Amino acid sequence: MKIRSAAAADAPRLLEIYSWYVENTAITFEYVTPSPAEFAARITGTLKRFPYLVLEEDGVIQGYAYAGPFQSRAAYSHCCELSIYLDRSAKGHGYGRKLYEVLENELRDLGFLNLYACIGDPVTEDEYLTRNSEQFHQHMGFTKIGTFHRCGRKFNRWYNMIYMEKIIG
């Protein structure tokens, strides 16, 4: 297993992972899979200020995690929001934990103090969304700090969104 910084050239594989979530889940509230060029630009833009990591096993990217701004105002510059996506067949190998541990260490070294995760949360679990992401973040030391009720709509269903927080500094 190898964790390294992402590059724009990784966009096709990362997009392959992400597009499954866009098309088949409410884990992301994005409706349309971005183009490869748009996705590569997202990677490049993120890397200007934040880590964007990929995890490879036997030379194949199995997942990725990155940080981004929590809010745009300068007063929030010590905070960031995290995202993680694993290939749907790569679960149960500890990849998510490893990616988040490395990401957290890099963010701490960069002076970030507060980590946030914005997570789709089902009103009732269904085939598009479970509470797995919330449970993963709890295992990683995050605490649920708020719920936005029925704020996201996908697949003709309403979903909540929760914020989870981890203080690292």
Side-chain angles (χ1 to χ4, degrees):
M1 177 175 37
K2 174 184 174 183
I3 295 178
R4 63 170 174 79
S5 183
D10 296 318
R13 174 62 180 142
L14 302 188
L15 192 55
E16 181 182 346
I17 293 168
Y18 183 64
S19 67
W20 185 84
Y21 290 95
V22 172
E23 296 165 10
N24 299 286
T25 79
I27 290 171
T28 175
F29 286 166
E30 197 156 15
Y31 283 4
V32 178
T33 300
S35 71
E38 181 183 345
F39 206 81
R42 290 180 186 186
I43 294 167
T44 303
T46 297
L47 286 169
K48 290 178 182 175
R49 179 155 184 250
F50 298 96
Y52 200 127
L53 304 175
V54 298
L55 183 145
E56 294 178 334
E57 184 77 54
D58 298 323
V60 177
I61 295 173
Q62 297 295 328
Y64 64 97
Y66 60 93
F70 169 62
Q71 296 287 330
S72 62
R73 304 259 197 281
Y76 298 109
S77 63
H78 61 281
C79 305
C80 60
E81 187 174 318
L82 310 185
S83 293
I84 184 169
Y85 292 92
L86 298 179
D87 184 277
R88 67 180 186 219
S89 65
K91 295 180 182 164
H93 298 282
Y95 295 154
R97 173 176 289 284
K98 194 66 176 163
L99 272 167
Y100 254 31
E101 287 171 350
V102 173
L103 184 60
E104 182 179 318
N105 287 334
E106 287 193 18
L107 291 166
R108 184 180 290 109
D109 290 347
L110 290 169
F112 288 95
L113 306 175
N114 300 12
L115 309 180
Y116 296 98
C118 175
I119 300 169
D121 184 58
V123 175
T124 303
E125 287 187 285
D126 61 26
E127 68 272 27
Y128 302 114
L129 189 62
T130 66
R131 291 192 170 77
N132 288 349
S133 186
E134 178 181 3
Q135 293 162 355
F136 167 76
H137 283 83
Q138 285 173 339
H139 290 297
M140 295 303 299
F142 284 72
T143 303
K144 183 176 171 181
I145 57 171
T147 301
F148 297 84
H149 297 96
R150 298 178 185 259
C151 64
R153 186 159 175 81
K154 191 169 179 181
F155 305 119
N156 294 314
R157 298 176 188 186
W158 287 105
Y159 294 99
N160 297 337
M161 191 268 304
I162 63 172
Y163 258 117
M164 296 188 77
E165 172 186 63
K166 183 175 183 180
I167 308 299
I168 61 170

mmCIF file of all heavy atoms in Angstrom, residues 45-77:
data_model
loop_
_atom_site.group_PDB
_atom_site.id
_atom_site.type_symbol
_atom_site.label_atom_id
_atom_site.label_comp_id
_atom_site.label_asym_id
_atom_site.label_seq_id
_atom_site.Cartn_x
_atom_site.Cartn_y
_atom_site.Cartn_z
ATOM 1 N N GLY A 45 -6.682 22.685 -8.290
ATOM 2 C CA GLY A 45 -7.097 23.793 -7.429
ATOM 3 C C GLY A 45 -6.939 23.469 -5.955
ATOM 4 O O GLY A 45 -6.473 24.296 -5.172
ATOM 5 N N THR A 46 -7.321 22.263 -5.569
ATOM 6 C CA THR A 46 -7.194 21.845 -4.167
ATOM 7 C C THR A 46 -5.740 21.846 -3.731
ATOM 8 O O THR A 46 -5.405 22.317 -2.640
ATOM 9 C CB THR A 46 -7.810 20.452 -3.968
ATOM 10 O OG1 THR A 46 -9.210 20.526 -4.266
ATOM 11 C CG2 THR A 46 -7.614 19.943 -2.541
ATOM 12 N N LEU A 47 -4.860 21.324 -4.586
ATOM 13 C CA LEU A 47 -3.444 21.191 -4.228
ATOM 14 C C LEU A 47 -2.730 22.527 -4.036
ATOM 15 O O LEU A 47 -1.628 22.557 -3.486
ATOM 16 C CB LEU A 47 -2.719 20.356 -5.282
ATOM 17 C CG LEU A 47 -3.018 18.864 -5.234
ATOM 18 C CD1 LEU A 47 -2.474 18.165 -6.475
ATOM 19 C CD2 LEU A 47 -2.434 18.240 -3.966
ATOM 20 N N LYS A 48 -3.340 23.625 -4.443
ATOM 21 C CA LYS A 48 -2.724 24.938 -4.228
ATOM 22 C C LYS A 48 -2.619 25.277 -2.746
ATOM 23 O O LYS A 48 -1.736 26.028 -2.342
ATOM 24 C CB LYS A 48 -3.509 26.027 -4.955
ATOM 25 C CG LYS A 48 -3.370 25.947 -6.457
ATOM 26 C CD LYS A 48 -4.193 27.016 -7.134
ATOM 27 C CE LYS A 48 -4.073 26.866 -8.647
ATOM 28 N NZ LYS A 48 -4.946 27.808 -9.351
ATOM 29 N N ARG A 49 -3.522 24.705 -1.939
ATOM 30 C CA ARG A 49 -3.516 25.034 -0.511
ATOM 31 C C ARG A 49 -3.658 23.829 0.413
ATOM 32 O O ARG A 49 -3.277 23.888 1.580
ATOM 33 C CB ARG A 49 -4.645 26.026 -0.214
ATOM 34 C CG ARG A 49 -4.713 26.395 1.254
ATOM 35 C CD ARG A 49 -5.354 27.727 1.526
ATOM 36 N NE ARG A 49 -5.271 27.992 2.954
ATOM 37 C CZ ARG A 49 -6.291 27.984 3.775
ATOM 38 N NH1 ARG A 49 -7.494 27.752 3.336
ATOM 39 N NH2 ARG A 49 -6.115 28.234 5.050
ATOM 40 N N PHE A 50 -4.208 22.737 -0.098
ATOM 41 C CA PHE A 50 -4.549 21.614 0.761
ATOM 42 C C PHE A 50 -3.962 20.307 0.221
ATOM 43 O O PHE A 50 -3.733 20.175 -0.975
ATOM 44 C CB PHE A 50 -6.079 21.453 0.832
ATOM 45 C CG PHE A 50 -6.787 22.626 1.405
ATOM 46 C CD1 PHE A 50 -7.336 23.596 0.580
ATOM 47 C CD2 PHE A 50 -6.911 22.774 2.779
ATOM 48 C CE1 PHE A 50 -8.001 24.683 1.112
ATOM 49 C CE2 PHE A 50 -7.578 23.857 3.319
ATOM 50 C CZ PHE A 50 -8.120 24.817 2.491
ATOM 51 N N PRO A 51 -3.816 19.316 1.100
ATOM 52 C CA PRO A 51 -3.416 17.997 0.626
ATOM 53 C C PRO A 51 -4.556 17.301 -0.122
ATOM 54 O O PRO A 51 -5.724 17.482 0.206
ATOM 55 C CB PRO A 51 -3.095 17.225 1.915
ATOM 56 C CG PRO A 51 -3.104 18.204 3.020
ATOM 57 C CD PRO A 51 -3.867 19.401 2.564
ATOM 58 N N TYR A 52 -4.173 16.530 -1.119
ATOM 59 C CA TYR A 52 -5.090 15.684 -1.876
ATOM 60 C C TYR A 52 -4.336 14.377 -2.064
ATOM 61 O O TYR A 52 -3.348 14.324 -2.786
ATOM 62 C CB TYR A 52 -5.406 16.330 -3.221
ATOM 63 C CG TYR A 52 -6.655 15.849 -3.917
ATOM 64 C CD1 TYR A 52 -7.615 16.757 -4.336
ATOM 65 C CD2 TYR A 52 -6.862 14.506 -4.196
ATOM 66 C CE1 TYR A 52 -8.756 16.337 -5.006
ATOM 67 C CE2 TYR A 52 -8.000 14.075 -4.851
ATOM 68 C CZ TYR A 52 -8.947 15.008 -5.260
ATOM 69 O OH TYR A 52 -10.072 14.579 -5.921
ATOM 70 N N LEU A 53 -4.771 13.329 -1.388
ATOM 71 C CA LEU A 53 -4.031 12.075 -1.321
ATOM 72 C C LEU A 53 -4.736 10.954 -2.067
ATOM 73 O O LEU A 53 -5.961 10.893 -2.079
ATOM 74 C CB LEU A 53 -3.842 11.656 0.137
ATOM 75 C CG LEU A 53 -3.176 12.661 1.060
ATOM 76 C CD1 LEU A 53 -3.181 12.145 2.489
ATOM 77 C CD2 LEU A 53 -1.766 12.976 0.593
ATOM 78 N N VAL A 54 -3.936 10.066 -2.651
ATOM 79 C CA VAL A 54 -4.464 8.838 -3.228
ATOM 80 C C VAL A 54 -3.789 7.657 -2.557
ATOM 81 O O VAL A 54 -2.634 7.743 -2.137
ATOM 82 C CB VAL A 54 -4.264 8.762 -4.763
ATOM 83 C CG1 VAL A 54 -5.008 9.881 -5.459
ATOM 84 C CG2 VAL A 54 -2.805 8.772 -5.143
ATOM 85 N N LEU A 55 -4.522 6.574 -2.450
ATOM 86 C CA LEU A 55 -3.986 5.329 -1.902
ATOM 87 C C LEU A 55 -3.945 4.306 -3.020
ATOM 88 O O LEU A 55 -4.965 4.058 -3.678
ATOM 89 C CB LEU A 55 -4.857 4.831 -0.758
ATOM 90 C CG LEU A 55 -4.362 3.569 -0.055
ATOM 91 C CD1 LEU A 55 -4.680 3.623 1.427
ATOM 92 C CD2 LEU A 55 -4.955 2.310 -0.673
ATOM 93 N N GLU A 56 -2.757 3.738 -3.224
ATOM 94 C CA GLU A 56 -2.573 2.719 -4.250
ATOM 95 C C GLU A 56 -2.272 1.375 -3.602
ATOM 96 O O GLU A 56 -1.551 1.313 -2.602
ATOM 97 C CB GLU A 56 -1.388 3.060 -5.160
ATOM 98 C CG GLU A 56 -1.566 4.287 -5.996
ATOM 99 C CD GLU A 56 -0.323 4.586 -6.830
ATOM 100 O OE1 GLU A 56 0.789 4.185 -6.440
ATOM 101 O OE2 GLU A 56 -0.488 5.224 -7.872
ATOM 102 N N GLU A 57 -2.801 0.344 -4.187
ATOM 103 C CA GLU A 57 -2.472 -1.031 -3.806
ATOM 104 C C GLU A 57 -2.089 -1.734 -5.102
ATOM 105 O O GLU A 57 -2.877 -1.745 -6.060
ATOM 106 C CB GLU A 57 -3.667 -1.705 -3.143
ATOM 107 C CG GLU A 57 -3.397 -3.094 -2.622
ATOM 108 C CD GLU A 57 -2.620 -3.109 -1.315
ATOM 109 O OE1 GLU A 57 -3.050 -2.456 -0.360
ATOM 110 O OE2 GLU A 57 -1.588 -3.793 -1.264
ATOM 111 N N ASP A 58 -0.881 -2.263 -5.149
ATOM 112 C CA ASP A 58 -0.376 -2.927 -6.359
ATOM 113 C C ASP A 58 -0.500 -2.034 -7.588
ATOM 114 O O ASP A 58 -0.871 -2.495 -8.684
ATOM 115 C CB ASP A 58 -1.096 -4.260 -6.593
ATOM 116 C CG ASP A 58 -0.871 -5.245 -5.452
ATOM 117 O OD1 ASP A 58 0.250 -5.269 -4.900
ATOM 118 O OD2 ASP A 58 -1.818 -5.979 -5.119
ATOM 119 N N GLY A 59 -0.219 -0.735 -7.404
ATOM 120 C CA GLY A 59 -0.223 0.205 -8.517
ATOM 121 C C GLY A 59 -1.585 0.690 -8.964
ATOM 122 O O GLY A 59 -1.687 1.465 -9.915
ATOM 123 N N VAL A 60 -2.662 0.268 -8.286
ATOM 124 C CA VAL A 60 -4.017 0.681 -8.650
ATOM 125 C C VAL A 60 -4.572 1.580 -7.547
ATOM 126 O O VAL A 60 -4.556 1.213 -6.368
ATOM 127 C CB VAL A 60 -4.947 -0.544 -8.836
ATOM 128 C CG1 VAL A 60 -6.373 -0.102 -9.146
ATOM 129 C CG2 VAL A 60 -4.409 -1.450 -9.929
ATOM 130 N N ILE A 61 -5.053 2.749 -7.925
ATOM 131 C CA ILE A 61 -5.643 3.662 -6.951
ATOM 132 C C ILE A 61 -6.938 3.048 -6.434
ATOM 133 O O ILE A 61 -7.841 2.719 -7.201
ATOM 134 C CB ILE A 61 -5.904 5.046 -7.565
ATOM 135 C CG1 ILE A 61 -4.574 5.709 -7.932
ATOM 136 C CG2 ILE A 61 -6.702 5.925 -6.595
ATOM 137 C CD1 ILE A 61 -4.718 7.012 -8.700
ATOM 138 N N GLN A 62 -7.013 2.895 -5.104
ATOM 139 C CA GLN A 62 -8.183 2.304 -4.454
ATOM 140 C C GLN A 62 -9.062 3.338 -3.750
ATOM 141 O O GLN A 62 -10.176 3.027 -3.346
ATOM 142 C CB GLN A 62 -7.736 1.242 -3.440
ATOM 143 C CG GLN A 62 -7.006 0.086 -4.069
ATOM 144 C CD GLN A 62 -7.889 -0.725 -4.997
ATOM 145 O OE1 GLN A 62 -9.085 -0.848 -4.798
ATOM 146 N NE2 GLN A 62 -7.296 -1.281 -6.032
ATOM 147 N N GLY A 63 -8.528 4.552 -3.576
ATOM 148 C CA GLY A 63 -9.304 5.584 -2.915
ATOM 149 C C GLY A 63 -8.530 6.880 -2.850
ATOM 150 O O GLY A 63 -7.338 6.929 -3.166
ATOM 151 N N TYR A 64 -9.235 7.914 -2.420
ATOM 152 C CA TYR A 64 -8.603 9.219 -2.293
ATOM 153 C C TYR A 64 -9.293 10.022 -1.205
ATOM 154 O O TYR A 64 -10.449 9.772 -0.849
ATOM 155 C CB TYR A 64 -8.595 9.966 -3.629
ATOM 156 C CG TYR A 64 -9.961 10.314 -4.188
ATOM 157 C CD1 TYR A 64 -10.519 11.568 -3.989
ATOM 158 C CD2 TYR A 64 -10.690 9.390 -4.933
ATOM 159 C CE1 TYR A 64 -11.757 11.895 -4.514
ATOM 160 C CE2 TYR A 64 -11.924 9.706 -5.468
ATOM 161 C CZ TYR A 64 -12.450 10.966 -5.252
ATOM 162 O OH TYR A 64 -13.686 11.293 -5.772
ATOM 163 N N ALA A 65 -8.550 10.962 -0.655
ATOM 164 C CA ALA A 65 -9.077 11.860 0.376
ATOM 165 C C ALA A 65 -8.406 13.214 0.202
ATOM 166 O O ALA A 65 -7.240 13.288 -0.200
ATOM 167 C CB ALA A 65 -8.800 11.309 1.774
ATOM 168 N N TYR A 66 -9.158 14.248 0.526
ATOM 169 C CA TYR A 66 -8.597 15.589 0.371
ATOM 170 C C TYR A 66 -9.251 16.537 1.358
ATOM 171 O O TYR A 66 -10.295 16.234 1.952
ATOM 172 C CB TYR A 66 -8.776 16.097 -1.064
ATOM 173 C CG TYR A 66 -10.211 16.203 -1.520
ATOM 174 C CD1 TYR A 66 -10.931 17.390 -1.391
ATOM 175 C CD2 TYR A 66 -10.856 15.104 -2.089
ATOM 176 C CE1 TYR A 66 -12.242 17.479 -1.817
ATOM 177 C CE2 TYR A 66 -12.170 15.191 -2.515
ATOM 178 C CZ TYR A 66 -12.860 16.384 -2.380
ATOM 179 O OH TYR A 66 -14.166 16.475 -2.785
ATOM 180 N N ALA A 67 -8.623 17.680 1.515
ATOM 181 C CA ALA A 67 -9.169 18.741 2.357
ATOM 182 C C ALA A 67 -9.492 19.933 1.469
ATOM 183 O O ALA A 67 -8.942 20.079 0.375
ATOM 184 C CB ALA A 67 -8.169 19.140 3.436
ATOM 185 N N GLY A 68 -10.376 20.767 1.971
ATOM 186 C CA GLY A 68 -10.738 21.995 1.279
ATOM 187 C C GLY A 68 -11.166 23.020 2.296
ATOM 188 O O GLY A 68 -11.234 22.739 3.493
ATOM 189 N N PRO A 69 -11.459 24.213 1.843
ATOM 190 C CA PRO A 69 -11.846 25.265 2.798
ATOM 191 C C PRO A 69 -13.156 24.931 3.502
ATOM 192 O O PRO A 69 -14.077 24.388 2.892
ATOM 193 C CB PRO A 69 -11.995 26.511 1.930
ATOM 194 C CG PRO A 69 -12.177 26.005 0.541
ATOM 195 C CD PRO A 69 -11.501 24.676 0.463
ATOM 196 N N PHE A 70 -13.203 25.248 4.783
ATOM 197 C CA PHE A 70 -14.445 25.090 5.544
ATOM 198 C C PHE A 70 -15.392 26.226 5.180
ATOM 199 O O PHE A 70 -16.557 26.008 4.882
ATOM 200 C CB PHE A 70 -14.136 25.085 7.043
ATOM 201 C CG PHE A 70 -15.349 25.185 7.918
ATOM 202 C CD1 PHE A 70 -16.325 24.211 7.902
ATOM 203 C CD2 PHE A 70 -15.517 26.276 8.759
ATOM 204 C CE1 PHE A 70 -17.460 24.311 8.699
ATOM 205 C CE2 PHE A 70 -16.644 26.380 9.559
ATOM 206 C CZ PHE A 70 -17.615 25.402 9.530
ATOM 207 N N GLN A 71 -14.895 27.430 5.206
ATOM 208 C CA GLN A 71 -15.623 28.626 4.798
ATOM 209 C C GLN A 71 -14.626 29.558 4.126
ATOM 210 O O GLN A 71 -13.419 29.419 4.321
ATOM 211 C CB GLN A 71 -16.268 29.331 6.009
ATOM 212 C CG GLN A 71 -17.335 28.527 6.714
ATOM 213 C CD GLN A 71 -18.614 28.433 5.912
ATOM 214 O OE1 GLN A 71 -18.960 29.320 5.156
ATOM 215 N NE2 GLN A 71 -19.327 27.323 6.077
ATOM 216 N N SER A 72 -15.100 30.524 3.391
ATOM 217 C CA SER A 72 -14.197 31.375 2.616
ATOM 218 C C SER A 72 -13.601 32.548 3.401
ATOM 219 O O SER A 72 -12.587 33.097 2.993
ATOM 220 C CB SER A 72 -14.915 31.914 1.378
ATOM 221 O OG SER A 72 -16.022 32.711 1.768
ATOM 222 N N ARG A 73 -14.177 32.934 4.506
ATOM 223 C CA ARG A 73 -13.672 34.082 5.258
ATOM 224 C C ARG A 73 -12.336 33.758 5.932
ATOM 225 O O ARG A 73 -12.092 32.640 6.372
ATOM 226 C CB ARG A 73 -14.678 34.498 6.327
ATOM 227 C CG ARG A 73 -16.062 34.803 5.798
ATOM 228 C CD ARG A 73 -16.289 36.310 5.681
ATOM 229 N NE ARG A 73 -17.672 36.694 5.552
ATOM 230 C CZ ARG A 73 -18.385 36.629 4.438
ATOM 231 N NH1 ARG A 73 -17.872 36.108 3.367
ATOM 232 N NH2 ARG A 73 -19.628 37.066 4.402
ATOM 233 N N ALA A 74 -11.492 34.765 6.036
ATOM 234 C CA ALA A 74 -10.138 34.584 6.591
ATOM 235 C C ALA A 74 -10.150 34.031 8.009
ATOM 236 O O ALA A 74 -9.248 33.281 8.391
ATOM 237 C CB ALA A 74 -9.384 35.912 6.553
ATOM 238 N N ALA A 75 -11.154 34.371 8.782
ATOM 239 C CA ALA A 75 -11.208 33.915 10.175
ATOM 240 C C ALA A 75 -11.286 32.391 10.288
ATOM 241 O O ALA A 75 -10.964 31.827 11.335
ATOM 242 C CB ALA A 75 -12.409 34.551 10.888
ATOM 243 N N TYR A 76 -11.691 31.725 9.210
ATOM 244 C CA TYR A 76 -11.800 30.261 9.221
ATOM 245 C C TYR A 76 -10.557 29.572 8.665
ATOM 246 O O TYR A 76 -10.572 28.375 8.421
ATOM 247 C CB TYR A 76 -13.005 29.815 8.386
ATOM 248 C CG TYR A 76 -14.340 30.308 8.895
ATOM 249 C CD1 TYR A 76 -15.051 31.273 8.204
ATOM 250 C CD2 TYR A 76 -14.887 29.783 10.061
ATOM 251 C CE1 TYR A 76 -16.292 31.706 8.658
ATOM 252 C CE2 TYR A 76 -16.123 30.208 10.526
ATOM 253 C CZ TYR A 76 -16.818 31.176 9.822
ATOM 254 O OH TYR A 76 -18.032 31.596 10.271
ATOM 255 N N SER A 77 -9.479 30.292 8.470
ATOM 256 C CA SER A 77 -8.313 29.741 7.773
ATOM 257 C C SER A 77 -7.624 28.609 8.535
ATOM 258 O O SER A 77 -6.789 27.914 7.963
ATOM 259 C CB SER A 77 -7.304 30.849 7.459
ATOM 260 O OG SER A 77 -6.802 31.415 8.656
#
